[in-house]
Amino acid sequence: MRKPFTWLLATAGVISLAFAACSKDDDKQGPDNSVIAGTWRFELGVDSLFNKQNQLISVDTLDVENPANTYITFQQDGKFSSNLNDTTVTGTYALVDAKTLELSNNGSVPQQVNIVTLNSTQLVLSSTDTDFGNGNYSKEYFYLKK
């Protein structure tokens, strides 16, 4: 089993190692942050491994040591903080569109995750990891609740 939510928090932490310069078009109106604002607690993580022919190889759940203390908080002003096993990561976020969330830690290179579900009580995020080097890839799903 893999540590759940570790990928998401690690992504937020690792991106602090790189620097990115970007511009923002103030004329564009992005999605409303109030839809995601609040504290979302980890509920379940699922990791599915596929081969290069897109065949499912395995499905596993992602574990955390202390699920009650595993969360991510999105503030209305575009800032976030997350906690996993007493490790806190902070940064900024942007709803790129209704299906894409962009996270950046300390002004570093933004990382995007897919929004599968977002409503008043449930947030489901997904990511794809292709760093296996053999054509295999994994799809991770993180289920969070308010």
Side-chain angles (χ1 to χ4, degrees):
M1 289 192 195
R2 292 178 47 174
K3 298 276 184 191
F5 216 51
T6 302
W7 179 88
L8 185 60
L9 294 175
T11 296
V14 169
I15 57 178
S16 67
L17 299 176
F19 173 81
C22 62
S23 63
K24 190 172 184 178
D25 185 353
D26 292 332
D27 295 334
K28 290 186 179 177
Q29 194 75 292
D32 181 10
N33 286 349
S34 66
V35 115
I36 198 169
T39 298
W40 298 88
R41 300 208 174 273
F42 178 80
E43 190 172 28
L44 174 69
V46 176
D47 185 16
S48 302
L49 181 64
F50 296 86
N51 64 18
K52 61 185 172 183
Q53 291 82 24
N54 299 318
Q55 297 169 322
L56 182 64
I57 296 172
S58 66
V59 176
D60 204 358
T61 58
L62 304 172
D63 295 323
V64 293
E65 291 176 23
N66 186 358
N69 200 28
T70 302
Y71 61 85
I72 186 165
T73 299
F74 297 101
Q75 298 174 8
Q76 185 73 28
D77 64 359
K79 295 179 183 175
F80 79 88
S81 65
S82 61
N83 188 62
L84 173 66
N85 300 326
D86 298 321
T87 300
T88 301
V89 175
T90 61
T92 58
Y93 75 93
L95 287 170
V96 176
D97 55 39
K99 296 292 181 187
T100 309
L101 174 65
E102 189 170 85
L103 301 167
S104 180
N105 183 4
N106 298 325
S108 62
V109 175
Q111 299 292 315
Q112 293 186 346
V113 294
N114 299 317
I115 299 171
V116 178
T117 303
L118 175 57
N119 59 44
S120 62
T121 60
Q122 185 177 40
L123 172 61
V124 179
L125 301 173
S126 74
S127 65
T128 302
D129 181 1
T130 59
D131 291 336
F132 292 92
N134 59 2
N136 291 354
Y137 65 96
S138 70
K139 291 193 87 134
E140 298 176 328
Y141 292 86
F142 305 98
Y143 294 80
L144 304 133
K145 65 180 177 180
K146 265 192 182 173

